[in-house]
């Protein structure tokens, strides 16, 4: 799956840690879209998530496939797709489950 907008597709644990460290060092919020290829709602929200990534330069946007990286989704207790996590200094500060566009943008 190609990345749209400025979303970084996380391929492995190393990528993940690198991006969290980047967020920490730049003092930026990291927003993570936990998704799955078989998840219909994930496909619906994907273009909107890409739009947000173009709009907010000071935020790091990541996408994690829960089937490829189950260790990360387990660690963060992600059980439903899509789940959006908001991290600051590598700590989870907010969480949104489902496809609520206005709530997603507000956060």
């Amino acid at each position: 799956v190609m990345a749209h907008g400025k979303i970084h597709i996380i391929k492995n644990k190393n990528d993940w840690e690198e991006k969290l460290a980047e967020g920490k060092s730049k003092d930026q919020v990291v927003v993570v879209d936990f998704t799955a290829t078989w998840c219909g709602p994930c496909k619906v929200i994907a273009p909107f998530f890409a739009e947000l990534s173009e709009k907010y330069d000071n935020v790091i946007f990541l996408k994690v496939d829960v089937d490829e990286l189950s260790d990360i989704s387990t660690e963060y207790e992600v059980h439903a797709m899509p789940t959006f996590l908001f991290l600051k200094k590598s700590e989870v500060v907010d969480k949104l489950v489902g496809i609520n566009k206005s709530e997603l943008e507000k956060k």
Side-chain angles (χ1 to χ4, degrees), residues 50-92:
E51 257 172 60
L52 293 181
S53 76
E54 295 281 356
K55 197 167 167 182
Y56 299 101
D57 284 335
N58 59 335
V59 178
I60 298 171
F61 288 82
L62 308 180
K63 193 171 277 231
V64 172
D65 185 314
V66 294
D67 294 324
E68 283 173 32
L69 296 163
S70 55
D71 51 342
I72 297 175
S73 47
T74 304
E75 185 185 334
Y76 287 89
E77 296 175 357
V78 174
H79 305 299
M81 268 54 76
T83 291
F84 297 94
L85 284 189
F86 301 80
L87 298 105
K88 200 166 172 111
K89 297 191 177 12
S90 303
E91 297 292 316
V92 176

Side-chain angles (χ1 to χ4, degrees), residues 22-37:
E22 184 187 323
K24 206 170 183 175
S25 70
K26 293 181 177 173
D27 200 23
Q28 292 182 324
V29 173
V30 177
V31 186
V32 192
D33 174 8
F34 284 90
T35 184
T37 48

